[in-house]
Amino acid sequence: MTIYQSLWVKVALGGTFDPLHEGHKRLIRKAFGIGKDVVFGVTSDEMARRKFRRVLPYNLRVRNLKDYVKRTYGVDVRVEKIFDIYGRTIDEDFDIIIVSPETYENARKINEKRIEIGKEPITIVVVDFVLAYDGKPISATRIKNGEIDRFGFRLSQDTYDLGSYPTPPTLRLG
Amino acid sequence: MTIYQSLWVKVALGGTFDPLHEGHKRLIRKAFGIGKDVVFGVTSDEMARRKFRRVLPYNLRVRNLKDYVKRTYGVDVRVEKIFDIYGRTIDEDFDIIIVSPETYENARKINEKRIEIGKEPITIVVVDFVLAYDGKPISATRIKNGEIDRFGFRLSQDTYDLGSYPTPPTLRLG
């Protein structure tokens, strides 16, 4: 499903990116499918810790992200540290902002603010979650809670709701 | 802001399209900016009348829409009559579905249904409203209520909230 041929599109994509999971990778793939000029907003440690108790330091998260993008798409990307949901998206113009359904409302807030100050809204692209083994979205919270790994496989027996979901064959016990 | 060069992208765009206003035109422009294969879902009269008391008959709405697209983008488009929010988006595969913030939730429902039956979700592109003279979105409801015309200009003196919003110079009285 390669979609666009594009050069001049400036794309914004924000997150904490810890750990870098399949959901992030789908967003990143979509971003590079749309344009080559992708600007990543990565949450500051302070901002990230409002959501997650434990999080890798900013520099390490950026390094992991940059390494992944370089390895996968062959480009060095620009990363901006962000301290709120807006990041650079008010001062700078972007053609596209990529979000998941979970962060869609942030993109709406960005556009509301832009419209308020007389700027054009940014076109929002919503890329759906990647689902884990149990049909629920992969998320950093679930990974950090030890429910699933970053590929969406089941990790902990304790949190497994017996009988509700099938276990993938590769993980089936005994 | 021409954005993409694209050929193989299949785009879905649904609505009642009566009257065809600036908000629709922005959605249509975005659709053709993304791909040449745009499929329009146009609500049946029955479906349309659940939302609007008065609406042009389906055939006329389709003719207006097709004429506009032909005149503006030089193409004959495929139109499908739709009887619910899903239209053809469950049976057929699309790369992109274009919505406004008002219809974003419909696109989410489409994806939930697709995921439920094991299909890939469709990437959602949310194009912001076009604002009327008063800073509120242009919508068919407001046009039908006689508040604004389809370009977003003020129509009725009665609904004008004195002092809250500036009147555009071209509409200023005496």
Side-chain angles (χ1 to χ4, degrees):
Chain A
M1 206 191 58
T2 306
I3 303 210
Y4 320 93
Q5 282 276 4
S6 60
L7 294 165
W8 309 115
V9 188
K10 193 168 158 193
V11 182
L13 172 50
T16 295
F17 300 104
D18 176 45
L20 201 64
H21 58 65
E22 286 302 305
H24 296 126
K25 290 175 187 173
R26 184 186 279 190
L27 295 176
I28 295 169
R29 187 160 61 244
K30 182 63 68 175
F32 283 102
I34 292 175
K36 294 299 158 251
D37 185 8
V38 181
V39 179
F40 288 84
V42 176
T43 57
S44 69
D45 288 337
E46 199 185 28
M47 185 182 172
R49 283 180 191 133
R50 267 178 247 146
K51 188 166 172 193
F52 304 111
R53 218 169 25 167
R54 280 154 165 270
V55 76
L56 281 182
Y58 175 81
N59 286 341
L60 275 181
R61 288 183 282 126
V62 169
R63 199 172 69 191
N64 288 342
L65 174 64
K66 284 191 157 184
D67 283 355
Y68 171 75
V69 172
K70 179 76 176 181
R71 204 166 60 238
T72 315
Y73 300 95
V75 289
D76 293 301
V77 283
R78 180 178 143 211
V79 172
E80 294 281 348
K81 191 186 279 194
I82 65 174
F83 302 90
D84 55 36
I85 62 157
Y86 302 103
R88 304 284 311 148
T89 58
I90 305 301
D91 296 334
E92 270 185 64
D93 286 334
F94 291 87
D95 298 301
I96 300 281
I97 181 166
I98 300 208
V99 294
S100 72
E102 198 187 356
T103 52
Y104 168 70
E105 283 304 327
N106 293 347
R108 287 289 302 148
K109 282 180 196 157
I110 286 167
N111 275 346
E112 276 164 22
K113 199 162 196 169
R114 286 180 62 91
I115 290 167
E116 217 177 277
I117 60 171
K119 293 195 170 186
E120 280 288 305
I122 305 171
T123 297
I124 304 168
V125 171
V126 189
V127 179
D128 224 283
F129 299 116
V130 175
L131 302 182
Y133 78 96
D134 55 4
K136 297 178 195 164
I138 296 178
S139 75
T141 306
R142 296 188 67 200
I143 297 170
K144 284 174 193 292
N145 286 344
E147 285 175 55
I148 53 172
D149 68 15
R150 63 206 179 88
F151 302 102
F153 287 108
R154 171 186 164 204
L155 272 182
S156 158
Q157 182 71 1
D158 309 357
T159 60
Y160 184 57
D161 180 9
L162 280 168
S164 300
Y165 300 106
T167 315
T170 51
L171 292 179
R172 206 160 303 213
L173 301 173
Chain B
M1 205 189 59
T2 306
I3 303 208
Y4 321 92
Q5 281 276 2
S6 61
L7 294 164
W8 309 114
V9 187
K10 193 169 158 192
V11 182
L13 172 51
T16 295
F17 300 103
D18 176 47
L20 202 63
H21 57 65
E22 286 303 305
H24 296 126
K25 290 176 186 172
R26 184 186 278 192
L27 295 177
I28 295 169
R29 186 160 64 243
K30 182 64 67 174
F32 284 102
I34 292 176
K36 294 299 157 251
D37 185 8
V38 181
V39 179
F40 289 84
V42 176
T43 56
S44 69
D45 289 338
E46 200 185 26
M47 185 182 172
R49 282 179 193 135
R50 268 178 247 145
K51 187 166 172 191
F52 304 111
R53 218 169 24 170
R54 278 154 165 272
V55 76
L56 282 182
Y58 175 82
N59 286 341
L60 274 181
R61 288 183 283 126
V62 169
R63 198 171 70 192
N64 288 341
L65 174 65
K66 284 191 158 185
D67 283 355
Y68 171 74
V69 173
K70 180 77 176 179
R71 204 164 61 237
T72 315
Y73 300 95
V75 290
D76 294 302
V77 283
R78 180 179 143 210
V79 171
E80 294 281 348
K81 191 186 278 193
I82 65 175
F83 302 90
D84 55 36
I85 62 158
Y86 302 103
R88 304 284 312 148
T89 59
I90 305 300
D91 296 334
E92 269 185 64
D93 286 333
F94 292 87
D95 298 301
I96 300 281
I97 181 165
I98 300 208
V99 293
S100 72
E102 198 187 357
T103 52
Y104 168 70
E105 283 303 327
N106 293 347
R108 286 289 303 149
K109 282 181 196 157
I110 286 167
N111 275 346
E112 275 163 23
K113 198 162 196 168
R114 286 181 61 91
I115 289 167
E116 218 177 275
I117 60 171
K119 292 196 170 187
E120 280 287 306
I122 305 171
T123 297
I124 305 167
V125 170
V126 189
V127 179
D128 224 285
F129 300 115
V130 176
L131 302 182
Y133 78 97
D134 55 4
K136 296 178 198 166
I138 296 178
S139 74
T141 306
R142 295 189 68 201
I143 298 170
K144 284 173 193 292
N145 286 346
E147 286 175 55
I148 53 172
D149 69 15
R150 63 206 179 88
F151 303 101
F153 287 108
R154 171 186 163 205
L155 274 182
S156 158
Q157 182 72 1
D158 308 358
T159 60
Y160 184 54
D161 180 10
L162 279 167
S164 299
Y165 300 105
T167 315
T170 50
L171 292 179
R172 205 160 303 213
L173 302 173

